Amino acid sequence: MKLKARLLEAAEIERALRRIAHEIVEKNKGAEELALVGVHTRGIPLAERLSSLIERFEGVRPAVGVLDITLYRDDLSEIAVQPKVRETRIPFDITNKPLVLVDDVLYTGRTARAALDALVDLGRPQRIYFAVLVDRGHRELPIRADFVGKNLPTSRQEVVKVKLNEVDGEDGVELWQR
Amino acid sequence: MAALKHLLDFEGWRRSEVESLLETARLMEEVLERPMKKVPALKGFTIATVFFEPSTRTKTSFELAAKRMSADVVSFAVSGSSLSKGESYKDTLLTLQAMVLDAYVIRSPVAGMAHQAAGWLRGSVINAGDGRRAHPTQALLDAYTLLDELSQLEGKKIAIVGDIAHSRVARSNAELLPLLGADVWAAGPVGLLPEVLKGARLTSNLAEALSDADAVMVLRLQKERMQDGSLPSIREYISEYQITAERMNLARPGALLLHPGPMNRDLELAGTLAEGSHSRVERQVRAGEAVRMAVLYHLLVGRAA
């Protein structure tokens, strides 16, 4: 793979997250009862950052849960490589709560579909919002995000790499050619 | 790492593979703690439980594990089947295969049955006990239960007590636990000890095995052993080898007590110990379901070419 472009720098990610945090609070009319659920791997630090930002703006810190969608993938009977199951830890009752599902990249929509199925198996949230840092298009399912950091038109031959300090040691979004 | 296709015993298994499977089991246990204990992971897979020997808990545990993963389960028990009309094991399995199955959980009184079946069948074979040879998922759930509290088995002393010679549970544990670094001892009366047990130190001196043990694994004593003469008398067994509160004191304080079930209370184990503070018998049952979910996931997912 070849690096084609650096799409977002650390400061732009920070600004996008701040805007999303404001939008979440505005749309939800406050942060009471609100909880965030980050999808493995990079959805988790994004959810933590959004929770901290919301706390800074509203004085209320939304709880953060961790969701692994591996057991909900729609291709487990067809794939040749076994995906590793990771931790799901949602230390609060999601029933009747407004939830924000958080992921780094929205692409085909299949991860979001799996995440929604996993969440409704865990309880009955009052509603589920969907926040992503990057929407790169090419949906294969009727899924859209409520909050988007940046819309980035890409081709299917390209790979969008989100790097976050907590996981990768630096913040940035890169475009790679397959 | 090539995905393993069968679970027959632990020959050829690497420590990292066992650890990865036990880690998946830990994550599966989170599913079992949910109000709705089911995930769609094995939707579209069909699993047969084929028991040529009666068993309730192992069969139920496997079937429940498969259902928690959304697999379809067919159950074939020897009573009322064609086997009683003289159909061979092989024919029975090939008939099941014609129904397009992905995995076969096989229990048989014949040692080596699961290995043979793996040669006949296209799907994955999981050994649920073959004669006195192996019972790998029991050993996995024992390891899981031990790890749950000891956090690692490196250098831990595990004493297996009872009818070692006829026990597939002892054999599988003696294979698995040393792979995870444990020091395994097997104790019982001379008539119930095998010549050798690979992976374990054999002794007829119970105190030696129990001394400073981190865990004691008590085996079920089968009453047939009196008839075949390998054990002279029950009374003698009880006085020399029954695990009592007093004997548990030889082990480390807080040592764990395991039993694969079903238990003969007041025979191999003083009845009150089963519910006592040492006992992890209930924990083993829950662990069994999580471990079997993990085994199904590891054997079935990622096999498509």
Side-chain angles (χ1 to χ4, degrees), chain B residues 192-249:
Chain B
L192 297 181
L193 286 178
E195 297 264 312
V196 280
L197 180 62
K198 209 173 153 232
R201 288 193 233 188
L202 292 169
T203 180
S204 58
N205 181 346
L206 180 63
E208 188 187 14
L210 294 181
S211 162
D212 288 328
D214 294 281
V216 180
M217 208 177 270
V218 184
L219 300 175
R220 175 182 168 79
L221 188 68
Q222 277 150 353
K223 305 228 168 74
E224 305 93 273
R225 298 305 159 231
M226 315 310 139
Q227 289 133 31
D228 69 18
S230 44
L231 188 67
S233 90
I234 289 199
R235 198 177 307 159
E236 199 176 305
Y237 183 89
I238 292 174
S239 82
E240 301 289 323
Y241 291 98
Q242 185 187 72
I243 297 302
T244 58
E246 199 181 16
R247 286 180 174 144
M248 274 308 282
N249 286 336

Side-chain angles (χ1 to χ4, degrees), chain B residues 29 72 102 118 158 174 178 180 187 190 203 226-227 233 267-268 304:
Chain B
E29 197 164 11
D72 290 313
D102 300 293
I158 315 294
L180 299 170
V190 175
T203 180
M226 315 310 139
Q227 289 133 31
S233 90
L267 208 172
E268 64 263 16

Side-chain angles (χ1 to χ4, degrees), chain B residues 98-177:
Chain B
M99 300 174 196
V100 197
L101 298 172
D102 300 293
Y104 305 80
V105 176
I106 302 177
R107 156 74 60 96
S108 158
V110 183
M113 179 76 220
H115 288 72
Q116 276 192 296
W120 298 331
L121 301 165
R122 281 186 299 272
S124 290
V125 172
I126 300 165
N127 188 0
D130 61 328
R132 53 178 84 164
R133 223 190 134 273
H135 191 357
T137 57
Q138 177 69 44
L140 283 168
L141 77 87
D142 289 337
Y144 182 92
T145 305
L146 295 171
L147 282 167
D148 204 30
E149 289 186 56
L150 303 175
S151 72
Q152 51 107 359
L153 295 186
E154 200 63 59
K156 302 289 181 191
K157 182 177 179 183
I158 315 294
I160 309 178
V161 179
D163 183 0
I164 309 295
H166 301 92
S167 174
R168 54 190 173 214
V169 176
R171 201 153 281 106
S172 278
N173 269 303
E175 213 182 356
L176 180 67
L177 301 180

Side-chain angles (χ1 to χ4, degrees), chain A residues 70-72 76-80 82-88 121-122, chain B residues 23 27-28 30 34 36 38-41 45 297-298 301-304:
Chain A
T70 306
L71 299 172
Y72 286 81
L76 289 177
S77 62
E78 295 159 20
I79 51 180
Q82 184 174 101
K84 195 169 158 28
V85 181
R86 289 165 300 178
E87 185 175 42
T88 291
D121 273 1
L122 291 169
Chain B
E23 168 64 10
L27 298 168
M28 292 302 179
E30 181 270 320
R34 296 178 188 175
M36 216 268 299
K38 199 179 176 85
V39 289
F45 288 90
Y297 183 83
H298 276 251
V301 174
R303 301 220 57 83

Side-chain angles (χ1 to χ4, degrees), chain A residues 117-172:
Chain A
D117 279 355
L119 285 176
V120 298
D121 273 1
L122 291 169
R124 189 172 187 277
Q126 183 209 73
R127 67 164 299 166
I128 303 175
Y129 301 103
F130 186 26
V132 294
L133 183 60
V134 173
D135 181 348
R136 60 166 293 192
H138 304 288
R139 217 74 79 236
E140 292 170 3
L141 295 171
I143 297 258
R144 57 158 188 83
D146 300 281
F147 312 106
V148 179
K150 184 92 177 163
N151 283 293
L152 297 172
T154 59
S155 87
R156 286 178 190 274
Q157 281 67 51
E158 290 165 334
V159 174
V160 174
K161 270 196 195 175
V162 170
K163 292 184 172 176
L164 297 172
N165 211 6
E166 299 88 326
V167 182
D168 309 285
E170 60 161 327
D171 274 10

